[in-house]
Amino acid sequence: MKFFTRILMLFFPVLAIAQDSVVTITPSMFDKNSDQFFIASADGWIFKQGNDTNWAKKDFNVTGWKKLKPVDLSAKYADKTGKAECWFRIKIKPDGTLGNQPLGVKLGSWAASDLYIDGNLVLSAGNTGINSKPFKEFCPYGNPSYP
């Protein structure tokens, strides 16, 4: 097993732990050359338009959410100003065969994003406005992965 951090690539705002289905992350899902798994294109995502921070809670009713992968977000979800505010949720579980392999998250989009794990904010990229400051896009180039 390699001793560097495996990276989960994220392309849009995401949340962890949401619905009943669970995506199990296995070693075979990682690209052999980059040791990365592009989770934004994985099945198991649910989506809802809006910006309600109550949706960050670990457990809540996801009635009204629909299946949509972050990579499938399109301009049709934007408002008349061209802005799309939405939440994506996915429930993931590392497979036991990953052993003690450290995992990291690498954001690969210009979208401002907040990452929650089990209902706790763990990472902000750019500024979505949750801290009462103005929106600021995120520059994905040259940034390391976050453990």
Side-chain angles (χ1 to χ4, degrees):
M1 181 82 80
K2 297 178 182 172
F3 287 95
F4 52 90
T5 302
R6 290 187 181 262
I7 301 171
L8 305 175
M9 293 294 291
L10 303 173
F11 292 96
F12 292 98
V14 296
L15 300 170
I17 311 302
Q19 61 281 359
D20 292 333
S21 62
V22 177
V23 175
T24 302
I25 308 296
T26 65
S28 65
M29 298 166 104
F30 288 82
D31 178 79
K32 303 292 184 243
N33 295 317
S34 66
D35 210 28
Q36 297 178 1
F37 166 54
F38 297 94
I39 197 168
S41 59
D43 290 326
W45 288 97
I46 59 173
F47 162 87
K48 186 165 180 97
Q49 286 184 269
N51 61 3
D52 188 343
T53 54
N54 285 318
W55 299 337
K57 293 178 181 173
K58 181 178 178 182
D59 297 308
F60 76 101
N61 187 338
V62 295
T63 302
W65 289 62
K66 66 182 204 174
K67 292 180 184 248
L68 184 73
K69 298 174 190 176
V71 295
D72 294 332
L73 186 68
S74 70
K76 75 179 185 179
Y77 297 101
D79 63 17
K80 60 185 174 190
T81 67
K83 183 167 108 176
E85 288 186 280
C86 59
W87 285 63
F88 287 94
R89 293 182 67 121
I90 190 168
K91 187 173 184 177
I92 63 171
K93 176 182 144 185
D95 184 81
T97 59
L98 288 169
N100 293 325
Q101 180 70 45
L103 295 175
V105 175
K106 175 99 172 138
L107 299 171
S109 169
W110 288 86
S113 305
D114 294 317
L115 174 66
Y116 291 82
I117 297 178
D118 291 340
N120 299 304
L121 179 64
V122 296
L123 172 66
S124 287
N127 193 337
T128 61
I130 62 168
N131 55 8
S132 300
K133 293 184 179 176
F135 170 85
K136 182 180 180 203
E137 66 186 12
F138 173 71
C139 178
Y141 302 114
N143 294 304
S145 62
Y146 301 92

